[in-house]
C-alpha cells in the first residue's frame, strides 16, 4: 500500500542570522568596555565615580531589552543566550559590584 510523504525544511533567513551575530558581537563589546572601565577605575583607585557606575548599571539593564529585540524572539536558553547574553550580563554585573566595593573601600579610607 502506498503513502504520501513530504519533507519540510525550516531555516532562518540570512538577514536574521547576520543580525543575531551582530547583536552578539555588540553585547560582547559592551561587556568588554565595562570591564575595561572597571579595570581603570579600580586600578587608579578613583573611589565612587557615580557617572561610571550609572553607565554600568544602565548597560546591565539595557542588555535585557537589547536581547528581547532579537529577531524571532529566541526562547531563554538558546544559543544566543549562551553565546553572548548571559556572559555579558555576568561580566557587567560583576564589574559593577567590584567597582562599587572598591569605591566604597576607597571612600572609607579617605
Amino acid at each position: 500500500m502506498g503513502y504520501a510523504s513530504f519533507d519540510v525544511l525550516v531555516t532562518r533567513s540570512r538577514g536574521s542570522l547576520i543580525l543575531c551575530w551582530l547583536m552578539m558581537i555588540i553585547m560582547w563589546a559592551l561587556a568588554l568596555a565595562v570591564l575595561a572601565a572597571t579595570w581603570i577605575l579600580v586600578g587608579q583607585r578613583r573611589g565612587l565615580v557615580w557617572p561610571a557606575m550609572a553607565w554600568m548599571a544602565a548597560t546591565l539593564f539595557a542588555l535585557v531589552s537589547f536581547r528581547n529585540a532579537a529577531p524571532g524572539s529566541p526562547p531563554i536558553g538558546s544559543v544566543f543566550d549562551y553565546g553572548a547574553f548571559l556572559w555579558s550580563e555576568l561580566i557587567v554585573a560583576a564589574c559593577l559590584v567590584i567597582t562599587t566595593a572598591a569605591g566604597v573601600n576607597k571612600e572609607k579610607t579617605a
Side-chain angles (χ1 to χ4, degrees):
M1 180 155 241
Y3 62 91
S5 70
F6 60 93
D7 292 329
V8 177
L9 178 65
V10 179
T11 61
R12 298 260 182 209
S13 69
R14 184 177 309 248
S16 291
L17 291 175
I18 291 171
L19 182 58
C20 280
W21 279 104
L22 181 63
M23 289 177 77
M24 288 171 55
I25 291 168
I26 290 170
M27 284 184 181
W28 273 106
L30 287 170
L32 294 176
V34 169
L35 182 64
T38 298
W39 187 330
I40 290 170
L41 290 172
V42 173
Q44 294 181 355
R45 301 182 192 275
R46 295 277 181 111
L48 291 172
V49 181
W50 293 105
M53 292 168 55
W55 166 65
M56 291 178 189
T59 302
L60 183 67
F61 292 104
L63 285 172
V64 176
S65 296
F66 191 59
R67 185 233 180 262
N68 289 335
S73 299
I76 299 295
S78 62
V79 173
F80 186 77
D81 289 335
Y82 293 119
F85 175 70
L86 296 175
W87 291 106
S88 298
E89 285 284 311
L90 178 68
I91 291 169
V92 173
C95 287
L96 187 54
V97 169
I98 290 167
T99 301
T100 303
V104 167
N105 191 27
K106 167 69 175 150
E107 296 292 332
K108 250 175 44 176
T109 59

XYZ file of all heavy atoms in Angstrom:
832
model
N 0.842 -1.174 0.000
C 0.000 0.000 0.000
C 0.890 1.242 0.000
O 1.868 1.310 0.728
C -0.889 -0.054 1.227
C -1.812 1.118 1.321
S -3.244 0.665 2.279
C -4.510 0.900 1.111
N 0.549 2.218 -0.756
C 1.341 3.438 -0.882
C 0.966 4.474 0.188
O -0.075 4.407 0.824
N 1.833 5.423 0.354
C 1.567 6.510 1.292
C 2.198 7.774 0.738
O 3.101 7.740 -0.077
C 2.093 6.203 2.698
C 3.590 6.016 2.774
C 4.420 7.094 3.040
C 4.160 4.774 2.580
C 5.776 6.930 3.097
C 5.519 4.603 2.639
C 6.333 5.689 2.902
O 7.689 5.535 2.962
N 1.691 8.913 1.247
C 2.198 10.209 0.816
C 3.142 10.751 1.892
O 2.891 10.606 3.084
C 1.045 11.177 0.591
N 4.212 11.341 1.466
C 5.140 11.958 2.415
C 5.714 13.226 1.797
O 5.677 13.419 0.574
C 6.265 10.988 2.786
O 7.121 10.806 1.682
N 6.238 14.060 2.662
C 6.885 15.277 2.179
C 7.934 15.703 3.192
O 7.868 15.360 4.371
C 5.864 16.388 1.932
C 5.084 16.788 3.145
C 5.504 17.845 3.946
C 3.911 16.119 3.493
C 4.790 18.204 5.057
C 3.191 16.485 4.600
C 3.626 17.538 5.395
N 8.909 16.411 2.723
C 9.978 16.920 3.579
C 9.764 18.408 3.793
O 9.413 19.144 2.863
C 11.347 16.723 2.923
C 11.736 15.261 2.834
O 11.315 14.496 3.726
O 12.459 14.904 1.889
N 9.985 18.841 5.014
C 9.861 20.254 5.363
C 11.208 20.713 5.918
O 11.770 20.083 6.808
C 8.752 20.476 6.418
C 8.690 21.937 6.819
C 7.416 19.999 5.888
N 11.707 21.805 5.391
C 12.960 22.385 5.857
C 12.677 23.813 6.306
O 12.235 24.641 5.515
C 14.005 22.370 4.737
C 15.349 22.993 5.073
C 16.046 22.188 6.168
C 16.218 23.065 3.840
N 12.920 24.081 7.577
C 12.694 25.408 8.128
C 14.050 25.986 8.510
O 14.801 25.383 9.277
C 11.773 25.341 9.370
C 11.566 26.727 9.955
C 10.453 24.698 9.013
N 14.369 27.135 7.971
C 15.644 27.787 8.277
C 15.405 29.273 8.510
O 14.378 29.818 8.120
C 16.650 27.627 7.130
O 16.115 28.233 5.951
C 16.972 26.169 6.865
N 16.360 29.885 9.147
C 16.326 31.334 9.344
C 16.866 32.002 8.081
O 17.709 31.450 7.378
C 17.211 31.739 10.519
C 16.775 31.168 11.820
C 16.027 32.191 12.579
N 15.651 31.651 13.879
C 14.601 32.042 14.514
N 13.828 32.956 14.000
N 14.299 31.537 15.680
N 16.407 33.201 7.855
C 16.920 33.937 6.700
C 18.343 34.410 7.000
O 18.759 34.521 8.155
C 16.029 35.134 6.388
O 16.140 36.106 7.411
N 19.072 34.683 5.963
C 20.457 35.145 6.116
C 20.503 36.455 6.903
O 21.377 36.663 7.738
C 21.102 35.313 4.746
C 22.559 35.692 4.829
C 23.157 35.761 3.450
N 22.854 34.549 2.703
C 23.736 33.635 2.342
N 24.993 33.819 2.651
N 23.402 32.584 1.666
N 19.541 37.330 6.666
C 19.489 38.607 7.386
C 19.298 38.420 8.883
O 19.905 39.123 9.695
N 18.453 37.473 9.272
C 18.237 37.198 10.694
C 19.504 36.660 11.344
O 19.849 37.045 12.466
C 17.114 36.184 10.884
O 15.883 36.740 10.539
N 20.187 35.773 10.659
C 21.430 35.226 11.207
C 22.505 36.296 11.352
O 23.201 36.356 12.367
C 21.936 34.086 10.327
C 21.087 32.813 10.352
C 21.629 31.812 9.347
C 21.069 32.219 11.734
N 22.617 37.154 10.356
C 23.609 38.228 10.422
C 23.282 39.179 11.566
O 24.162 39.586 12.320
C 23.691 38.971 9.067
C 24.318 38.063 8.011
C 24.484 40.265 9.200
C 24.252 38.601 6.601
N 22.005 39.514 11.731
C 21.606 40.411 12.804
C 21.875 39.787 14.169
O 22.367 40.452 15.089
C 20.132 40.794 12.680
C 19.616 41.776 13.720
C 20.395 43.076 13.694
C 18.142 42.032 13.518
N 21.602 38.511 14.334
C 21.877 37.842 15.617
C 23.365 37.828 15.924
O 23.771 38.093 17.060
C 21.310 36.432 15.611
S 19.546 36.388 15.922
N 24.177 37.523 14.944
C 25.624 37.534 15.173
C 26.113 38.944 15.493
O 26.970 39.127 16.355
C 26.365 36.974 13.960
C 26.372 35.487 13.952
C 25.616 34.661 13.176
C 27.149 34.636 14.789
N 25.873 33.354 13.480
C 26.817 33.296 14.469
C 28.089 34.861 15.782
C 27.401 32.214 15.104
C 28.664 33.774 16.415
C 28.325 32.475 16.072
N 25.581 39.939 14.808
C 25.959 41.322 15.079
C 25.540 41.715 16.502
O 26.302 42.368 17.222
C 25.321 42.256 14.054
C 25.648 43.735 14.199
C 27.143 43.962 14.002
C 24.852 44.554 13.199
N 24.359 41.299 16.925
C 23.902 41.593 18.283
C 24.807 40.920 19.321
O 25.110 41.516 20.359
C 22.453 41.143 18.470
C 21.455 41.998 17.719
S 19.771 41.404 17.874
C 19.383 41.960 19.534
N 25.248 39.715 19.038
C 26.143 39.025 19.966
C 27.491 39.744 20.059
O 28.052 39.890 21.154
C 26.325 37.570 19.538
C 25.100 36.730 19.787
S 25.121 35.065 19.101
C 26.590 34.365 19.780
N 27.992 40.217 18.941
C 29.256 40.965 18.938
C 29.107 42.260 19.720
O 29.994 42.636 20.509
C 29.720 41.223 17.487
C 30.142 39.910 16.833
C 30.838 42.244 17.440
C 30.340 39.992 15.330
N 27.980 42.940 19.544
C 27.737 44.189 20.270
C 27.644 43.923 21.768
O 28.180 44.689 22.581
C 26.474 44.887 19.731
C 26.734 45.419 18.320
C 26.020 46.003 20.659
C 25.495 45.903 17.597
N 26.970 42.848 22.164
C 26.874 42.524 23.588
C 28.254 42.274 24.188
O 28.556 42.756 25.284
C 25.981 41.304 23.802
C 24.526 41.587 23.677
S 23.585 40.108 24.065
C 21.939 40.703 23.803
N 29.075 41.524 23.483
C 30.426 41.275 23.975
C 31.234 42.569 24.037
O 32.004 42.777 24.973
C 31.138 40.248 23.107
C 30.866 38.854 23.543
C 30.055 37.949 22.931
C 31.377 38.208 24.708
N 30.043 36.778 23.651
C 30.846 36.894 24.738
C 32.237 38.599 25.734
C 31.157 35.993 25.745
C 32.539 37.695 26.734
C 32.001 36.419 26.734
N 31.073 43.439 23.045
C 31.807 44.703 23.036
C 31.402 45.579 24.218
O 32.265 46.192 24.874
C 31.566 45.444 21.717
N 30.116 45.633 24.521
C 29.666 46.410 25.671
C 30.210 45.831 26.978
O 30.657 46.573 27.862
C 28.138 46.453 25.715
C 27.459 47.336 24.672
C 25.959 47.092 24.666
C 27.762 48.795 24.953
N 30.171 44.517 27.103
C 30.683 43.885 28.317
C 32.182 44.142 28.485
O 32.654 44.431 29.591
C 30.397 42.389 28.293
N 32.924 44.064 27.400
C 34.369 44.308 27.478
C 34.682 45.780 27.742
O 35.675 46.093 28.407
C 35.059 43.816 26.211
C 35.013 42.296 26.017
C 35.638 41.913 24.679
C 35.686 41.565 27.159
N 33.834 46.686 27.252
C 34.010 48.106 27.558
C 33.806 48.369 29.047
O 34.567 49.125 29.671
C 33.038 48.944 26.726
N 32.795 47.739 29.628
C 32.561 47.877 31.069
C 33.723 47.266 31.851
O 34.173 47.827 32.858
C 31.208 47.236 31.466
C 31.071 47.128 32.962
C 30.059 48.038 30.881
N 34.231 46.139 31.393
C 35.374 45.507 32.051
C 36.602 46.419 32.011
O 37.311 46.573 33.012
C 35.685 44.162 31.384
C 36.821 43.350 31.995
C 36.488 42.926 33.412
C 37.103 42.133 31.125
N 36.849 47.056 30.879
C 37.985 47.970 30.756
C 37.817 49.181 31.675
O 38.776 49.618 32.322
C 38.148 48.417 29.301
N 36.610 49.715 31.752
C 36.355 50.854 32.640
C 36.554 50.461 34.097
O 37.110 51.231 34.892
C 34.940 51.380 32.421
N 36.126 49.260 34.442
C 36.325 48.773 35.812
C 37.806 48.650 36.122
O 38.257 49.044 37.203
C 35.624 47.410 35.992
O 34.237 47.584 35.777
C 35.862 46.848 37.370
N 38.543 48.117 35.187
C 39.979 47.952 35.366
C 40.636 49.311 35.658
O 41.465 49.446 36.556
C 40.572 47.338 34.115
C 42.019 46.953 34.212
C 42.988 47.533 34.971
C 42.638 45.895 33.519
N 44.177 46.915 34.775
C 43.997 45.897 33.887
C 42.198 44.961 32.610
C 44.903 44.985 33.377
C 43.115 44.059 32.111
C 44.445 44.068 32.492
N 40.244 50.333 34.897
C 40.822 51.665 35.082
C 40.387 52.276 36.411
O 41.206 52.817 37.160
C 40.450 52.578 33.901
C 41.197 52.116 32.638
C 40.760 54.035 34.208
C 40.736 52.766 31.371
N 39.096 52.197 36.719
C 38.595 52.796 37.959
C 39.200 52.154 39.199
O 39.587 52.840 40.147
C 37.068 52.694 38.016
C 36.288 53.564 37.040
C 34.811 53.209 37.067
C 36.487 55.026 37.375
N 39.271 50.843 39.199
C 39.819 50.139 40.362
C 41.341 50.294 40.404
O 41.919 50.509 41.473
C 39.397 48.652 40.340
C 40.104 47.874 41.433
C 37.890 48.536 40.498
N 41.974 50.210 39.261
C 43.435 50.321 39.215
C 43.946 51.687 39.633
O 44.992 51.798 40.269
N 43.220 52.732 39.288
C 43.642 54.089 39.649
C 43.047 54.546 40.977
O 43.236 55.695 41.367
C 43.258 55.066 38.539
C 44.009 54.821 37.264
C 43.625 55.810 36.173
O 42.732 56.638 36.334
N 44.312 55.726 35.050
N 42.310 53.670 41.638
C 41.708 53.963 42.945
C 40.937 55.277 42.912
O 41.185 56.186 43.696
C 42.769 53.980 44.038
C 43.505 52.683 44.165
C 44.499 52.739 45.297
N 45.408 51.619 45.262
C 45.150 50.436 45.806
N 44.019 50.224 46.400
N 46.043 49.470 45.729
N 39.987 55.348 42.000
C 39.233 56.577 41.798
C 38.142 56.824 42.831
O 37.608 57.895 42.912
C 38.578 56.568 40.406
C 39.528 56.591 39.267
C 39.963 58.018 38.995
N 40.873 58.084 37.889
C 40.569 58.622 36.727
N 39.393 59.118 36.503
N 41.481 58.644 35.785
N 37.754 55.819 43.572
C 36.652 55.992 44.525
C 35.320 55.739 43.838
O 35.232 55.020 42.841
N 34.259 56.335 44.392
C 32.921 56.160 43.814
C 32.724 57.172 42.689
O 32.493 58.358 42.943
C 31.847 56.349 44.894
C 31.802 55.253 45.963
C 30.843 55.641 47.065
C 31.397 53.934 45.346
N 32.810 56.719 41.493
C 32.591 57.564 40.313
C 31.176 57.285 39.839
O 30.915 56.316 39.121
C 33.633 57.264 39.210
C 33.400 58.160 38.011
C 35.042 57.434 39.750
N 30.248 58.117 40.277
C 28.824 57.864 40.047
C 28.446 57.807 38.569
O 27.647 56.945 38.182
C 27.977 58.884 40.801
C 28.113 58.708 42.283
C 28.818 59.499 43.141
C 27.578 57.645 43.068
N 28.754 58.998 44.412
C 27.988 57.863 44.405
C 26.803 56.535 42.784
C 27.634 57.010 45.440
C 26.450 55.691 43.821
C 26.861 55.933 45.128
N 28.955 58.690 37.712
C 28.576 58.572 36.293
C 28.992 57.234 35.679
O 28.237 56.637 34.903
C 29.306 59.739 35.618
C 29.521 60.732 36.701
C 29.737 59.917 37.951
N 30.166 56.742 36.036
C 30.623 55.455 35.502
C 29.748 54.320 36.020
O 29.388 53.403 35.273
C 32.085 55.217 35.882
N 29.399 54.397 37.286
C 28.556 53.347 37.858
C 27.150 53.393 37.276
O 26.525 52.346 37.057
C 28.538 53.475 39.380
C 29.889 53.156 39.992
S 30.050 53.592 41.723
C 28.698 52.730 42.441
N 26.651 54.596 36.995
C 25.329 54.720 36.359
C 25.358 54.133 34.956
O 24.407 53.455 34.529
C 24.904 56.183 36.315
N 26.448 54.369 34.231
C 26.584 53.801 32.890
C 26.626 52.281 32.943
O 25.998 51.597 32.125
C 27.849 54.372 32.227
C 28.272 53.644 31.006
C 27.589 53.550 29.823
C 29.464 52.877 30.843
N 28.303 52.777 28.942
C 29.456 52.359 29.541
C 30.543 52.591 31.677
C 30.482 51.571 29.049
C 31.561 51.817 31.185
C 31.516 51.312 29.883
N 27.351 51.734 33.919
C 27.423 50.278 34.050
C 26.059 49.683 34.386
O 25.666 48.656 33.816
C 28.438 49.899 35.129
C 29.862 50.176 34.765
S 30.942 49.752 36.143
C 32.483 50.407 35.583
N 25.334 50.316 35.300
C 24.006 49.818 35.669
C 23.040 49.946 34.493
O 22.217 49.050 34.255
C 23.471 50.585 36.874
N 23.143 51.031 33.741
C 22.287 51.194 32.565
C 22.599 50.119 31.527
O 21.680 49.584 30.886
C 22.479 52.588 31.970
N 23.863 49.795 31.361
C 24.248 48.744 30.426
C 23.687 47.400 30.868
O 23.212 46.608 30.047
C 25.778 48.660 30.308
O 26.279 49.925 29.893
C 26.205 47.606 29.310
N 23.706 47.150 32.166
C 23.189 45.899 32.710
C 21.721 45.695 32.326
O 21.317 44.628 31.880
C 23.350 45.895 34.234
C 22.931 44.645 34.971
C 23.864 43.494 34.622
C 22.945 44.898 36.461
N 20.925 46.748 32.461
C 19.501 46.632 32.153
C 19.205 46.816 30.663
O 18.209 46.298 30.167
C 18.700 47.621 32.997
C 18.715 47.263 34.455
C 19.504 47.960 35.340
C 17.982 46.192 34.920
C 19.545 47.615 36.676
C 18.007 45.825 36.251
C 18.796 46.543 37.137
N 20.067 47.529 29.955
C 19.854 47.712 28.518
C 20.087 46.411 27.755
O 19.442 46.169 26.722
C 20.777 48.793 27.983
N 20.977 45.568 28.259
C 21.231 44.296 27.583
C 19.982 43.419 27.542
O 19.769 42.684 26.577
C 22.379 43.552 28.267
C 23.782 44.087 28.001
C 24.798 43.396 28.894
C 24.159 43.935 26.551
N 19.148 43.503 28.568
C 17.917 42.716 28.592
C 16.982 43.163 27.474
O 16.439 42.342 26.728
C 17.227 42.822 29.966
C 15.904 42.092 29.960
C 18.125 42.289 31.053
N 16.803 44.462 27.336
C 15.945 44.975 26.263
C 16.538 44.678 24.894
O 15.814 44.371 23.942
C 15.750 46.481 26.417
O 15.064 46.755 27.601
N 17.844 44.791 24.800
C 18.520 44.504 23.532
C 18.332 43.044 23.144
O 18.086 42.725 21.989
C 20.009 44.846 23.673
C 20.772 44.847 22.387
C 20.404 45.679 21.349
C 21.877 44.030 22.229
C 21.124 45.686 20.156
C 22.593 44.028 21.049
C 22.210 44.861 20.014
N 18.391 42.137 24.132
C 18.184 40.716 23.870
C 16.759 40.446 23.405
O 16.530 39.634 22.521
C 18.482 39.908 25.142
C 18.409 38.420 24.928
C 17.483 37.779 25.937
N 17.411 36.354 25.717
C 16.425 35.771 25.036
N 15.473 36.476 24.511
N 16.412 34.471 24.879
N 15.794 41.136 24.003
C 14.403 40.928 23.636
C 14.077 41.452 22.240
O 13.031 41.125 21.689
C 13.477 41.569 24.669
C 13.491 40.818 25.973
O 13.795 39.633 26.015
N 13.180 41.520 27.055
N 14.968 42.259 21.673
C 14.763 42.780 20.324
C 15.326 41.851 19.255
O 15.258 42.153 18.062
C 15.411 44.158 20.187
N 15.874 40.716 19.664
C 16.448 39.768 18.704
C 15.359 39.232 17.781
O 14.219 39.032 18.206
C 17.126 38.619 19.434
N 15.697 38.998 16.528
C 14.696 38.508 15.583
C 14.157 37.136 15.973
O 14.913 36.255 16.367
C 15.438 38.445 14.249
C 16.868 38.648 14.540
C 16.996 39.178 15.920
N 12.861 36.988 15.917
C 12.227 35.707 16.208
C 12.005 35.445 17.679
O 11.553 34.378 18.052
N 12.305 36.407 18.535
C 12.156 36.244 19.988
C 12.670 34.884 20.457
O 11.885 34.009 20.833
C 10.693 36.417 20.403
O 10.238 37.695 20.087
N 13.986 34.694 20.440
C 14.516 33.379 20.828
C 14.154 33.045 22.271
O 14.147 33.933 23.123
C 16.027 33.535 20.654
C 16.286 34.995 20.652
C 15.044 35.657 20.165
N 13.848 31.794 22.544
C 13.485 31.416 23.909
C 14.699 31.467 24.835
O 15.845 31.412 24.382
C 12.980 29.979 23.749
C 13.666 29.476 22.531
C 13.818 30.663 21.628
N 14.424 31.568 26.127
C 15.501 31.556 27.110
C 16.250 30.229 27.000
O 15.646 29.169 26.916
C 14.930 31.724 28.530
C 14.188 33.054 28.659
C 16.026 31.609 29.575
C 15.056 34.269 28.510
N 17.559 30.291 26.984
C 18.376 29.090 26.876
C 18.814 28.778 25.458
O 19.361 27.715 25.200
N 18.595 29.703 24.549
C 19.012 29.467 23.164
C 20.514 29.718 23.023
O 21.184 30.169 23.947
C 18.227 30.388 22.221
O 18.507 31.745 22.525
N 21.044 29.434 21.868
C 22.468 29.652 21.588
C 22.816 31.124 21.764
O 23.893 31.470 22.236
C 22.815 29.176 20.153
C 24.233 29.548 19.777
C 22.598 27.690 20.034
N 21.885 31.985 21.443
C 22.067 33.431 21.596
C 22.372 33.777 23.053
O 23.242 34.593 23.337
C 20.785 34.131 21.122
C 20.878 35.621 21.078
C 21.539 36.253 20.051
C 20.283 36.393 22.055
C 21.618 37.621 19.998
C 20.353 37.760 22.008
C 21.023 38.378 20.977
N 21.682 33.140 23.976
C 21.903 33.398 25.403
C 23.256 32.881 25.856
O 24.005 33.585 26.532
C 20.799 32.746 26.243
C 19.473 33.453 26.094
O 19.477 34.650 25.770
O 18.437 32.812 26.296
N 23.563 31.632 25.508
C 24.817 31.035 25.943
C 26.017 31.652 25.229
O 27.119 31.642 25.760
C 24.808 29.522 25.733
C 23.829 28.825 26.630
C 22.774 28.099 26.100
C 23.946 28.900 28.007
C 21.861 27.459 26.919
C 23.038 28.267 28.841
C 22.003 27.549 28.294
O 21.112 26.926 29.111
N 25.813 32.155 24.043
C 26.915 32.730 23.284
C 27.298 34.125 23.720
O 28.477 34.486 23.677
N 26.326 34.923 24.163
C 26.657 36.308 24.477
C 25.884 36.874 25.654
O 26.471 37.468 26.545
C 26.424 37.189 23.250
N 24.580 36.711 25.692
C 23.763 37.444 26.654
C 24.108 37.123 28.102
O 24.373 38.027 28.909
C 22.275 37.190 26.394
C 21.379 37.806 27.424
C 21.237 39.177 27.492
C 20.691 37.029 28.325
C 20.428 39.759 28.442
C 19.876 37.595 29.280
C 19.745 38.962 29.341
N 24.104 35.864 28.475
C 24.355 35.501 29.867
C 25.766 35.885 30.306
O 25.972 36.369 31.419
C 24.107 34.009 30.081
C 22.653 33.561 29.855
C 22.536 32.056 29.966
C 21.720 34.251 30.819
N 26.729 35.698 29.420
C 28.103 36.077 29.748
C 28.236 37.583 29.899
O 28.929 38.069 30.806
C 29.068 35.570 28.673
C 29.188 34.090 28.691
C 28.650 33.212 27.798
C 29.873 33.308 29.661
N 28.960 31.929 28.158
C 29.710 31.953 29.309
C 30.595 33.608 30.804
C 30.258 30.915 30.046
C 31.143 32.578 31.542
C 30.972 31.251 31.158
N 27.597 38.330 29.012
C 27.661 39.785 29.092
C 27.021 40.286 30.381
O 27.558 41.172 31.055
C 26.970 40.418 27.883
O 27.619 40.052 26.701
N 25.873 39.725 30.719
C 25.209 40.109 31.970
C 26.098 39.800 33.169
O 26.215 40.607 34.086
C 23.877 39.376 32.111
C 22.780 39.918 31.230
C 22.201 41.213 31.736
O 21.859 41.310 32.928
O 22.082 42.140 30.930
N 26.717 38.637 33.169
C 27.592 38.241 34.267
C 28.784 39.185 34.391
O 29.125 39.632 35.494
C 28.070 36.804 34.066
C 29.030 36.268 35.117
C 28.311 36.104 36.455
C 29.616 34.952 34.670
N 29.418 39.506 33.285
C 30.583 40.386 33.301
C 30.206 41.774 33.789
O 30.875 42.352 34.652
C 31.244 40.445 31.907
C 31.894 39.102 31.577
C 32.261 41.579 31.815
C 32.335 38.964 30.136
N 29.118 42.329 33.266
C 28.705 43.680 33.648
C 28.299 43.722 35.123
O 28.679 44.637 35.857
C 27.569 44.193 32.734
C 27.020 45.508 33.230
C 28.073 44.348 31.302
N 27.540 42.737 35.583
C 27.127 42.713 36.983
C 28.334 42.572 37.909
O 28.431 43.276 38.933
C 26.139 41.577 37.219
N 29.259 41.697 37.576
C 30.454 41.525 38.402
C 31.290 42.796 38.425
O 31.796 43.199 39.483
C 31.283 40.350 37.885
N 31.422 43.445 37.284
C 32.192 44.689 37.226
C 31.542 45.785 38.059
O 32.234 46.560 38.733
C 32.346 45.153 35.779
S 33.498 44.166 34.829
N 30.240 45.850 38.035
C 29.531 46.851 38.830
C 29.736 46.599 40.323
O 29.989 47.541 41.087
C 28.045 46.850 38.475
C 27.176 47.944 39.084
C 27.737 49.321 38.789
C 25.759 47.833 38.556
N 29.675 45.355 40.733
C 29.900 45.020 42.145
C 31.347 45.316 42.542
O 31.598 45.898 43.606
C 29.542 43.544 42.408
C 30.016 43.095 43.776
C 28.047 43.331 42.273
N 32.291 44.959 41.702
C 33.710 45.197 42.007
C 34.001 46.693 42.082
O 34.683 47.158 43.001
C 34.609 44.507 40.962
C 34.528 42.996 41.129
C 36.052 44.990 41.048
C 35.125 42.219 39.974
N 33.464 47.461 41.140
C 33.670 48.905 41.143
C 33.072 49.538 42.390
O 33.686 50.408 43.022
C 33.050 49.543 39.880
O 33.649 48.963 38.731
C 33.260 51.040 39.854
N 31.889 49.103 42.760
C 31.245 49.648 43.952
C 32.019 49.286 45.212
O 32.251 50.142 46.073
C 29.796 49.133 44.054
O 29.093 49.479 42.854
C 29.083 49.731 45.250
N 32.427 48.031 45.341
C 33.175 47.610 46.530
C 34.499 48.352 46.643
O 34.867 48.821 47.730
C 33.403 46.096 46.477
N 35.208 48.483 45.544
C 36.486 49.196 45.570
C 36.274 50.683 45.862
O 37.048 51.302 46.601
C 37.211 49.017 44.234
N 35.207 51.254 45.313
C 34.911 52.668 45.556
C 34.532 52.930 47.000
O 34.983 53.927 47.605
N 33.724 52.066 47.564
C 33.345 52.220 48.975
C 34.573 52.071 49.865
O 34.760 52.853 50.818
C 32.244 51.199 49.364
C 32.062 51.119 50.858
C 30.941 51.567 48.688
N 35.408 51.099 49.564
C 36.641 50.912 50.344
C 37.529 52.145 50.271
O 38.097 52.579 51.271
C 37.373 49.673 49.841
C 38.493 49.268 50.763
O 38.452 49.545 51.959
N 39.503 48.636 50.198
N 37.672 52.715 49.094
C 38.500 53.923 48.914
C 37.905 55.102 49.671
O 38.620 55.859 50.333
C 38.624 54.228 47.414
C 39.175 55.572 47.074
C 40.630 55.679 47.426
C 41.139 57.018 46.937
N 42.193 57.556 47.710
N 36.599 55.279 49.581
C 35.945 56.414 50.244
C 36.006 56.245 51.764
O 36.085 57.241 52.485
C 34.487 56.528 49.787
C 34.312 56.835 48.309
C 34.780 58.237 47.921
O 34.743 59.141 48.779
O 35.192 58.407 46.755
N 35.946 55.037 52.253
C 36.023 54.799 53.703
C 37.397 55.132 54.262
O 37.502 55.662 55.366
C 35.691 53.325 53.999
C 34.377 53.153 54.688
C 33.968 51.723 54.894
C 35.036 50.792 55.372
N 34.518 49.445 55.643
N 38.427 54.842 53.499
C 39.783 55.089 53.986
C 40.244 56.525 53.749
O 41.230 56.949 54.336
C 40.783 54.129 53.319
O 40.739 54.305 51.903
C 40.462 52.695 53.675
N 39.545 57.253 52.918
C 39.956 58.629 52.595
C 39.539 59.632 53.650
O 38.747 59.501 54.459
C 39.385 59.060 51.250
